[in-house]
Amino acid sequence: MTAIDNLPPLREVIARHDLRAKKQLGQNFLLDLNLTAKIARQAGDMTQCDVLEIGPGPGGLTRGLLAEGARHVLAIEKDARALPALQEIADRYSGRLTVIHGDALQVDPLAHLTPPIRIAANLPYNVGTELLIRWLTPPDWPPFWQSLTLMFQKEVAERIVATPGSKAYGRLALLAQWRADARIVMMLPPEAFVPAPKVHSAVVHLTALPQPRYPADPAVLSQVTAAAFNQRRKMLRASLRGLHPQIESLLQDAGIPPTARAEEIDLERFCALARALQAARQGA
Ligand code: SAM
């Protein structure tokens, strides 16, 4: 029995349900329940929230979220082998855990969630990045979620929180920081997981802002940042040439030297450029 919930230790759960980690599902499990409770605490106060957890696996983080007081957890897991172990947790926390067997990239969880909603996950990195981009680019803002607490490969986490002038700075940083506050709240060494991955990991916590930090049309901003960072070593007057015949004067209008490179330009200036470009296209 473990101190946090009187359920058996995760090693025993994994052995009993034969949950040997499968590489193709990106399975690197967290077995230390003190650590999963600590990660759960990074999500903030969950007592009045529904928490969407993606990829619960044997349930380490799920148990952390429930022990830390989440009102209700909706967990989406692709691997059917994990379902009996998750059922034991659902039985222990009567009415507070719902499990959906499916692919998080296909399932729409909204029908099963009551706001306010927080999201927490330790996911395979490719799925995590794809979901993060989806969660950051809904048609309307604010989104359905209040906060995201997500484990990433350290290098991806650094790209999310990067600032101008750094190597990691690029489209992911701009996307995340335009409409959310993003910070790294924990670093984890490979040995924290079973089996241990090759890389270090980090937990990123993002809080949705009520509105974007600076006004800009999402599609135009995305077009500008894609063109700028696809040729990040070129001067902006060259990399953005295809966007508008008068790009040099639009750059100047936005307060950007035409000889600057993408990685030197902050979010505020990129938003100013997106607005100038949109106005020029509309003939303003
Ligand atoms: N949350 C558990 C933990 O912290 O120990 C497991 C983490 S493991 C890195 C990733 C989990 O995501 C696995 O249980 C895997 O089966 C699940 N998974 C992988 N791809 C998925 C997908 N597309 N949809 C839902 N779950 C997925």
Side-chain angles (χ1 to χ4, degrees):
M1 295 291 157
T2 59
I4 75 163
D5 54 17
N6 294 328
L7 284 163
L10 282 158
R11 273 185 201 285
E12 193 184 311
V13 173
I14 286 171
R16 191 154 39 84
H17 295 288
D18 198 15
L19 283 174
R20 264 164 303 174
K22 281 191 182 168
K23 210 174 172 183
Q24 67 272 32
L25 283 169
Q27 293 182 334
N28 301 95
F29 299 133
L30 290 165
L31 302 190
D32 177 349
L33 289 161
N34 292 318
L35 184 59
T36 62
K38 191 171 167 194
I39 296 168
R41 283 197 289 279
Q42 307 302 325
D45 181 2
M46 298 173 284
T47 54
Q48 310 300 321
C49 294
D50 276 12
V51 180
L52 172 61
E53 188 196 354
I54 311 288
L61 181 57
T62 321
R63 287 165 64 174
L65 293 165
L66 289 162
E68 290 298 318
R71 178 178 70 187
H72 179 240
V73 175
L74 174 70
I76 303 176
E77 174 56 58
K78 196 170 175 180
D79 187 352
R81 298 178 309 155
L83 300 180
L86 294 167
Q87 187 55 48
E88 289 172 6
I89 306 171
D91 293 342
R92 157 71 179 78
Y93 288 97
S94 172
R96 288 176 57 203
L97 172 63
T98 306
V99 179
I100 296 181
H101 176 216
D103 181 341
L105 296 169
Q106 310 294 334
V107 173
D108 177 6
L110 275 180
H112 307 271
L113 291 165
T114 307
I117 297 161
R118 295 187 186 273
I119 300 180
N122 170 24
L123 265 177
Y125 300 120
N126 54 345
V127 183
T129 311
E130 181 164 349
L131 284 171
L132 172 66
I133 291 171
R134 278 194 207 180
W135 289 327
L136 288 171
T137 52
D140 299 309
W141 200 268
F144 74 90
W145 51 270
Q146 238 177 30
S147 69
L148 310 172
T149 307
L150 307 173
M151 182 86 69
F152 286 103
Q153 192 171 329
K154 178 170 160 268
E155 175 259 327
V156 175
E158 285 169 350
R159 282 170 46 209
I160 296 169
V161 303
T163 50
S166 65
K167 251 197 189 155
Y169 184 60
R171 293 191 78 198
L172 196 56
L174 289 163
L175 188 61
Q177 297 169 34
W178 182 40
R179 298 198 277 197
D181 274 325
R183 55 202 171 89
I184 293 178
V185 289
M186 276 174 80
M187 292 284 196
L188 287 92
E191 314 79 75
F193 303 85
V194 176
K198 289 200 177 70
V199 292
H200 284 250
S201 299
V203 177
V204 182
H205 182 73
L206 298 107
T207 316
L209 296 171
Q211 56 193 32
R213 219 176 279 279
Y214 308 105
D217 177 82
V220 181
L221 182 61
S222 167
Q223 210 184 8
V224 168
T225 57
F229 283 99
N230 284 349
Q231 297 178 292
R232 62 187 290 147
R233 261 169 291 177
K234 279 198 176 170
M235 291 180 192
L236 288 168
R237 68 176 176 211
S239 58
L240 302 184
R241 188 179 294 143
L243 294 182
H244 196 275
Q246 270 89 48
I247 196 66
E248 286 217 20
S249 81
L250 297 180
L251 283 162
Q252 266 152 1
D253 290 350
I256 301 172
T259 52
R261 291 174 171 79
E263 63 189 29
E264 300 163 37
I265 305 305
D266 66 12
L267 174 62
E268 187 173 6
R269 298 266 74 82
F270 270 117
C271 291
L273 179 59
R275 292 195 302 275
L277 177 61
Q278 193 178 18
R281 284 175 173 168
Q282 288 166 350

PDB file of all heavy atoms in Angstrom, residues 97-115:
ATOM      1  N   LEU A  97     -13.036   9.467 -11.464  1.00  0.00           N
ATOM      2  CA  LEU A  97     -12.173   9.160 -12.616  1.00  0.00           C
ATOM      3  C   LEU A  97     -12.992   8.492 -13.717  1.00  0.00           C
ATOM      4  O   LEU A  97     -13.668   7.486 -13.476  1.00  0.00           O
ATOM      5  CB  LEU A  97     -11.022   8.223 -12.198  1.00  0.00           C
ATOM      6  CG  LEU A  97     -10.158   7.672 -13.360  1.00  0.00           C
ATOM      7  CD1 LEU A  97      -9.437   8.804 -14.113  1.00  0.00           C
ATOM      8  CD2 LEU A  97      -9.127   6.659 -12.835  1.00  0.00           C
ATOM      9  N   THR A  98     -12.931   9.088 -14.918  1.00  0.00           N
ATOM     10  CA  THR A  98     -13.552   8.482 -16.100  1.00  0.00           C
ATOM     11  C   THR A  98     -12.434   8.170 -17.073  1.00  0.00           C
ATOM     12  O   THR A  98     -11.567   9.026 -17.309  1.00  0.00           O
ATOM     13  CB  THR A  98     -14.538   9.473 -16.769  1.00  0.00           C
ATOM     14  OG1 THR A  98     -15.465   9.906 -15.776  1.00  0.00           O
ATOM     15  CG2 THR A  98     -15.275   8.837 -17.934  1.00  0.00           C
ATOM     16  N   VAL A  99     -12.439   6.953 -17.616  1.00  0.00           N
ATOM     17  CA  VAL A  99     -11.380   6.561 -18.554  1.00  0.00           C
ATOM     18  C   VAL A  99     -11.993   6.315 -19.919  1.00  0.00           C
ATOM     19  O   VAL A  99     -13.020   5.641 -20.034  1.00  0.00           O
ATOM     20  CB  VAL A  99     -10.661   5.278 -18.063  1.00  0.00           C
ATOM     21  CG1 VAL A  99      -9.571   4.864 -19.057  1.00  0.00           C
ATOM     22  CG2 VAL A  99     -10.072   5.497 -16.675  1.00  0.00           C
ATOM     23  N   ILE A 100     -11.374   6.908 -20.943  1.00  0.00           N
ATOM     24  CA  ILE A 100     -11.797   6.634 -22.319  1.00  0.00           C
ATOM     25  C   ILE A 100     -10.667   5.883 -23.004  1.00  0.00           C
ATOM     26  O   ILE A 100      -9.504   6.316 -22.956  1.00  0.00           O
ATOM     27  CB  ILE A 100     -12.085   7.943 -23.099  1.00  0.00           C
ATOM     28  CG1 ILE A 100     -13.265   8.677 -22.465  1.00  0.00           C
ATOM     29  CG2 ILE A 100     -12.363   7.654 -24.573  1.00  0.00           C
ATOM     30  CD1 ILE A 100     -13.631   9.978 -23.185  1.00  0.00           C
ATOM     31  N   HIS A 101     -11.011   4.752 -23.620  1.00  0.00           N
ATOM     32  CA  HIS A 101     -10.008   4.009 -24.377  1.00  0.00           C
ATOM     33  C   HIS A 101     -10.004   4.548 -25.804  1.00  0.00           C
ATOM     34  O   HIS A 101     -11.006   4.431 -26.517  1.00  0.00           O
ATOM     35  CB  HIS A 101     -10.354   2.503 -24.364  1.00  0.00           C
ATOM     36  CG  HIS A 101      -9.424   1.694 -25.199  1.00  0.00           C
ATOM     37  ND1 HIS A 101      -9.826   0.605 -25.927  1.00  0.00           N
ATOM     38  CD2 HIS A 101      -8.093   1.835 -25.415  1.00  0.00           C
ATOM     39  CE1 HIS A 101      -8.786   0.122 -26.581  1.00  0.00           C
ATOM     40  NE2 HIS A 101      -7.733   0.833 -26.277  1.00  0.00           N
ATOM     41  N   GLY A 102      -8.897   5.194 -26.200  1.00  0.00           N
ATOM     42  CA  GLY A 102      -8.862   5.738 -27.557  1.00  0.00           C
ATOM     43  C   GLY A 102      -7.599   6.538 -27.792  1.00  0.00           C
ATOM     44  O   GLY A 102      -6.753   6.681 -26.896  1.00  0.00           O
ATOM     45  N   ASP A 103      -7.506   7.067 -29.006  1.00  0.00           N
ATOM     46  CA  ASP A 103      -6.356   7.861 -29.407  1.00  0.00           C
ATOM     47  C   ASP A 103      -6.690   9.335 -29.147  1.00  0.00           C
ATOM     48  O   ASP A 103      -7.663   9.859 -29.698  1.00  0.00           O
ATOM     49  CB  ASP A 103      -6.108   7.616 -30.908  1.00  0.00           C
ATOM     50  CG  ASP A 103      -4.901   8.388 -31.434  1.00  0.00           C
ATOM     51  OD1 ASP A 103      -4.472   9.362 -30.795  1.00  0.00           O
ATOM     52  OD2 ASP A 103      -4.408   8.001 -32.503  1.00  0.00           O
ATOM     53  N   ALA A 104      -5.875   9.983 -28.339  1.00  0.00           N
ATOM     54  CA  ALA A 104      -6.157  11.381 -27.967  1.00  0.00           C
ATOM     55  C   ALA A 104      -6.186  12.303 -29.184  1.00  0.00           C
ATOM     56  O   ALA A 104      -6.777  13.376 -29.127  1.00  0.00           O
ATOM     57  CB  ALA A 104      -5.111  11.869 -26.975  1.00  0.00           C
ATOM     58  N   LEU A 105      -5.550  11.889 -30.280  1.00  0.00           N
ATOM     59  CA  LEU A 105      -5.562  12.734 -31.479  1.00  0.00           C
ATOM     60  C   LEU A 105      -6.896  12.621 -32.217  1.00  0.00           C
ATOM     61  O   LEU A 105      -7.201  13.431 -33.079  1.00  0.00           O
ATOM     62  CB  LEU A 105      -4.409  12.347 -32.423  1.00  0.00           C
ATOM     63  CG  LEU A 105      -3.007  12.583 -31.851  1.00  0.00           C
ATOM     64  CD1 LEU A 105      -1.949  11.926 -32.722  1.00  0.00           C
ATOM     65  CD2 LEU A 105      -2.726  14.070 -31.711  1.00  0.00           C
ATOM     66  N   GLN A 106      -7.691  11.600 -31.850  1.00  0.00           N
ATOM     67  CA  GLN A 106      -8.979  11.384 -32.533  1.00  0.00           C
ATOM     68  C   GLN A 106     -10.189  11.700 -31.644  1.00  0.00           C
ATOM     69  O   GLN A 106     -11.224  12.120 -32.139  1.00  0.00           O
ATOM     70  CB  GLN A 106      -9.128   9.907 -32.969  1.00  0.00           C
ATOM     71  CG  GLN A 106      -7.938   9.336 -33.727  1.00  0.00           C
ATOM     72  CD  GLN A 106      -7.745   9.998 -35.076  1.00  0.00           C
ATOM     73  OE1 GLN A 106      -8.699  10.504 -35.653  1.00  0.00           O
ATOM     74  NE2 GLN A 106      -6.517  10.035 -35.562  1.00  0.00           N
ATOM     75  N   VAL A 107     -10.046  11.457 -30.335  1.00  0.00           N
ATOM     76  CA  VAL A 107     -11.196  11.581 -29.428  1.00  0.00           C
ATOM     77  C   VAL A 107     -11.464  13.052 -29.103  1.00  0.00           C
ATOM     78  O   VAL A 107     -10.531  13.800 -28.815  1.00  0.00           O
ATOM     79  CB  VAL A 107     -10.904  10.825 -28.103  1.00  0.00           C
ATOM     80  CG1 VAL A 107     -11.989  11.072 -27.068  1.00  0.00           C
ATOM     81  CG2 VAL A 107     -10.732   9.343 -28.365  1.00  0.00           C
ATOM     82  N   ASP A 108     -12.745  13.457 -29.128  1.00  0.00           N
ATOM     83  CA  ASP A 108     -13.090  14.807 -28.674  1.00  0.00           C
ATOM     84  C   ASP A 108     -13.553  14.704 -27.221  1.00  0.00           C
ATOM     85  O   ASP A 108     -14.608  14.147 -26.952  1.00  0.00           O
ATOM     86  CB  ASP A 108     -14.211  15.380 -29.553  1.00  0.00           C
ATOM     87  CG  ASP A 108     -14.645  16.753 -29.056  1.00  0.00           C
ATOM     88  OD1 ASP A 108     -14.000  17.286 -28.132  1.00  0.00           O
ATOM     89  OD2 ASP A 108     -15.638  17.278 -29.587  1.00  0.00           O
ATOM     90  N   PRO A 109     -12.766  15.230 -26.288  1.00  0.00           N
ATOM     91  CA  PRO A 109     -13.092  15.020 -24.871  1.00  0.00           C
ATOM     92  C   PRO A 109     -14.147  15.973 -24.334  1.00  0.00           C
ATOM     93  O   PRO A 109     -14.666  15.774 -23.232  1.00  0.00           O
ATOM     94  CB  PRO A 109     -11.755  15.296 -24.181  1.00  0.00           C
ATOM     95  CG  PRO A 109     -11.067  16.299 -25.069  1.00  0.00           C
ATOM     96  CD  PRO A 109     -11.525  16.010 -26.465  1.00  0.00           C
ATOM     97  N   LEU A 110     -14.505  17.005 -25.105  1.00  0.00           N
ATOM     98  CA  LEU A 110     -15.280  18.110 -24.528  1.00  0.00           C
ATOM     99  C   LEU A 110     -16.642  17.688 -23.983  1.00  0.00           C
ATOM    100  O   LEU A 110     -17.103  18.228 -22.976  1.00  0.00           O
ATOM    101  CB  LEU A 110     -15.443  19.238 -25.545  1.00  0.00           C
ATOM    102  CG  LEU A 110     -14.263  20.209 -25.555  1.00  0.00           C
ATOM    103  CD1 LEU A 110     -14.470  21.300 -26.569  1.00  0.00           C
ATOM    104  CD2 LEU A 110     -14.047  20.801 -24.165  1.00  0.00           C
ATOM    105  N   ALA A 111     -17.258  16.694 -24.619  1.00  0.00           N
ATOM    106  CA  ALA A 111     -18.577  16.253 -24.176  1.00  0.00           C
ATOM    107  C   ALA A 111     -18.521  15.686 -22.755  1.00  0.00           C
ATOM    108  O   ALA A 111     -19.538  15.621 -22.059  1.00  0.00           O
ATOM    109  CB  ALA A 111     -19.108  15.195 -25.138  1.00  0.00           C
ATOM    110  N   HIS A 112     -17.330  15.279 -22.320  1.00  0.00           N
ATOM    111  CA  HIS A 112     -17.208  14.613 -21.015  1.00  0.00           C
ATOM    112  C   HIS A 112     -16.655  15.540 -19.940  1.00  0.00           C
ATOM    113  O   HIS A 112     -16.339  15.092 -18.845  1.00  0.00           O
ATOM    114  CB  HIS A 112     -16.276  13.400 -21.136  1.00  0.00           C
ATOM    115  CG  HIS A 112     -16.660  12.460 -22.228  1.00  0.00           C
ATOM    116  ND1 HIS A 112     -17.528  11.413 -22.026  1.00  0.00           N
ATOM    117  CD2 HIS A 112     -16.308  12.420 -23.532  1.00  0.00           C
ATOM    118  CE1 HIS A 112     -17.688  10.762 -23.167  1.00  0.00           C
ATOM    119  NE2 HIS A 112     -16.963  11.356 -24.092  1.00  0.00           N
ATOM    120  N   LEU A 113     -16.472  16.810 -20.266  1.00  0.00           N
ATOM    121  CA  LEU A 113     -15.808  17.714 -19.319  1.00  0.00           C
ATOM    122  C   LEU A 113     -16.699  18.893 -18.949  1.00  0.00           C
ATOM    123  O   LEU A 113     -17.421  19.421 -19.794  1.00  0.00           O
ATOM    124  CB  LEU A 113     -14.517  18.262 -19.943  1.00  0.00           C
ATOM    125  CG  LEU A 113     -13.379  17.265 -20.137  1.00  0.00           C
ATOM    126  CD1 LEU A 113     -12.322  17.830 -21.093  1.00  0.00           C
ATOM    127  CD2 LEU A 113     -12.734  16.926 -18.794  1.00  0.00           C
ATOM    128  N   THR A 114     -16.612  19.301 -17.689  1.00  0.00           N
ATOM    129  CA  THR A 114     -17.337  20.485 -17.229  1.00  0.00           C
ATOM    130  C   THR A 114     -16.313  21.556 -16.846  1.00  0.00           C
ATOM    131  O   THR A 114     -15.404  21.277 -16.057  1.00  0.00           O
ATOM    132  CB  THR A 114     -18.185  20.128 -15.978  1.00  0.00           C
ATOM    133  OG1 THR A 114     -18.981  19.002 -16.305  1.00  0.00           O
ATOM    134  CG2 THR A 114     -19.065  21.284 -15.548  1.00  0.00           C
ATOM    135  N   PRO A 115     -16.426  22.776 -17.411  1.00  0.00           N
ATOM    136  CA  PRO A 115     -15.455  23.827 -17.055  1.00  0.00           C
ATOM    137  C   PRO A 115     -15.544  24.191 -15.568  1.00  0.00           C
ATOM    138  O   PRO A 115     -16.614  24.004 -14.989  1.00  0.00           O
ATOM    139  CB  PRO A 115     -15.873  25.010 -17.930  1.00  0.00           C
ATOM    140  CG  PRO A 115     -16.793  24.448 -18.966  1.00  0.00           C
ATOM    141  CD  PRO A 115     -17.419  23.217 -18.378  1.00  0.00           C
TER     142      PRO A 115
END
